[in-house]
Structures are given as structure tokens and as C-alpha cells.
Amino acid sequence: SANYHLGILTMRVQPLQVARAFFETALAAAPAVLQYRVKLAGCLYSWGEWERAQQLVDEADSLKLRSSVLGKLRQAMRGHSSGKKVFCVGRNKTGTTSLEVALKSLGLRMGHQPRGEMLLEDWGRRDFTKILALCRTAHAFQDIPFSLDHTYQVLDTNFPGAKFILTIRDNPEQWYQSLTRFHTKIVNKGRLPTAADLAAFPYRYRGFLWRAAQLSYGVSEETLFDKDIYIARYINHNRQ
């Protein structure tokens, strides 16, 4: 299939979402071709869309298509309940990426960050079902949704004995400046982005950055990046 081969090529130079579209088209035209299903399921897993990836794995079973790769994906998404957990509950831009490197160096398997970010709306509804399921797939976790308010209490209840690490900056002003620099750089408009910029930017999905700002900081288009609001949320989060 031309679409399959285009997907293979684009995986090397384009975001996975581009390759995914080619694999979707290839699979729709030939649902019984195992390699199309395997590549698409892999893209969806990597991007954090585990519901659709699981659907493809289940369909393969019903079609009696066998693949060790699909079996490994199923196990990765299912996880297991054993083992102690480490949760970094510090806000984004407080050194969480450096902490991830340190935890990996200790032999801990890190949680799948794209999947965690895909559960932003679940967190917004305070529905922790899928977030807790994600916690059974690895040893340690950081950033959204683990860096957000209310998550710590749920994790503490469901994983007795878990370790929690609160990362902070030297002061709230330093954190705020780091946060705004990050958004300015990633959106790349040469200025602090507007709500429309965030809504249009295709990070995890188009609109993710704007929804994250709304849900995390309670801001509107008019109050986006309001220093007083952000710093107050940051201080309150660290006090919890």
C-alpha cells in the first residue's frame, strides 16, 4: 500500500500524527493486513491514544491475527499492580525533566507521559479511573496530570507507601519566568502566546495547551499568563 509506505517514511521526519493518518487509510482499505494494524497501533500507543490502540489489538484477536508486537502493546497498556511508586507532584517547569533523568538512572521505569497528558480532561472532571490505571504501568511518574492539584490526595489513598517528590524553583517569580519562556519558545511567535495561539498549537492535540491553561490555572482569554493568578496557584499547590 502506498499509504503504508508513506507512513513509514513520514515517521522518520514528521510528527506521529502525520504517519498515523497514512496508516489509518491503509488499514481502512485492508483491515486484515497485520503489518498495517501493528504500525497504527504502535503510533497510537506512542501518542497516548490507548483506547484506540486497545481497540486495534482486540480486533486483531477477533480476526485471528497474531503478533508478538500487539501482545506486548496489550501488556504495556494493562500493566501490573505490584511495586512501589514514586510520584513527582511538582508543577511543570520545576525541574521535573531533570528528575526524570535521575529516576531513570536509579533503574525506575518512567510512566508514559503522552498518555498522562491525554488524560487532562479526565483530571478536569476529577475522574481518576484511567489515571490510576496508568499508574500500574510503570514505577515513577511526573508532569500532567501528576503535577496538578487534587491528584496527590488520590494517589496517596490508592498507593499506600508511595513516595512523593515536590520539586520547586528558588522562588515563585523564577518559576513564572521559566513557564512563560517555555510557552513563548514552543509556540514560537516571538512573543508571549495568546489564547488563540495556544488553542491553535498542535502539541498533544490541537487545543491541548489552551485547555491545560484553563484547567490548571482557571484563566480566561483575558487573564492568560496573569502573573498574580499563576503565582497564587503555584504557591497554593506547593502548600497542599
Side-chain angles (χ1 to χ4, degrees):
S1 165
N3 281 295
Y4 172 77
H5 291 293
L6 284 170
I8 295 294
L9 289 172
T10 55
M11 284 182 73
R12 302 171 185 170
V13 295
Q14 296 286 341
L16 281 178
Q17 286 293 73
V18 178
R20 170 201 172 163
F22 287 119
F23 293 139
E24 288 272 17
T25 302
L27 183 63
V33 178
L34 181 59
Q35 62 184 358
Y36 300 171
R37 186 174 299 273
V38 169
K39 284 297 183 183
L40 178 56
C43 278
L44 292 165
Y45 171 82
S46 296
W47 202 252
E49 296 186 46
W50 288 9
E51 290 79 12
R52 174 76 172 122
Q54 185 64 57
Q55 179 186 356
L56 292 178
V57 173
D58 293 342
E59 288 174 355
D61 285 346
S62 66
L63 292 169
K64 301 189 184 309
L65 300 173
R66 297 290 179 256
S67 165
S68 61
V69 174
L70 293 181
K72 289 177 181 177
L73 284 179
R74 183 198 299 278
Q75 184 57 43
M77 292 184 287
R78 179 182 297 161
H80 53 82
S81 58
S82 62
K84 295 296 184 181
K85 305 297 178 183
V86 178
F87 299 104
C88 176
V89 295
R91 282 283 188 178
N92 296 57
K93 311 313 297 177
T94 59
T96 55
T97 302
S98 298
L99 180 60
E100 177 184 6
V101 173
L103 293 173
K104 283 182 177 178
S105 73
L106 296 174
L108 297 179
R109 185 171 67 256
M110 296 301 299
H112 196 278
Q113 185 173 337
R115 176 57 175 172
E117 291 173 341
M118 281 295 191
L119 300 179
L120 173 66
E121 295 291 349
D122 291 66
W123 176 86
R125 296 190 299 271
R126 305 297 185 264
D127 180 355
F128 290 91
T129 304
K130 293 178 181 178
I131 296 171
L132 292 173
L134 174 61
C135 293
R136 290 189 282 274
T137 65
H139 303 125
F141 303 83
Q142 37 76 253
D143 288 341
I144 290 175
F146 305 97
S147 58
L148 302 178
D149 295 345
H150 311 292
T151 308
Y152 159 77
Q153 293 89 336
V154 176
L155 298 175
D156 191 38
T157 299
N158 283 272
F159 296 98
K163 303 298 184 183
F164 293 88
I165 302 173
L166 176 65
T167 50
I168 59 173
R169 298 299 289 249
D170 291 340
N171 56 68
E173 176 70 24
Q174 185 187 67
W175 167 79
Y176 176 79
Q177 293 302 326
S178 178
L179 183 76
T180 52
R181 281 197 306 271
F182 169 79
H183 283 88
T184 299
K185 180 179 180 180
I186 192 173
V187 177
N188 197 26
K189 294 285 187 179
R191 54 168 170 74
L192 197 60
T194 64
D197 294 331
L198 295 184
F201 189 77
Y203 174 66
R204 188 57 53 204
Y205 50 81
R206 197 173 299 277
F208 174 87
L209 291 180
W210 172 229
R211 285 296 289 155
Q214 289 179 300
L215 293 173
S216 302
Y217 300 101
V219 293
S220 64
E221 293 183 13
E222 293 74 24
T223 58
L224 177 65
F225 295 122
D226 181 289
K227 183 186 290 189
D228 291 339
I229 292 175
Y230 278 67
I231 285 181
R233 287 290 180 114
Y234 171 78
I235 292 173
N236 184 65
H237 176 82
N238 293 342
R239 285 174 175 166
Q240 289 186 359

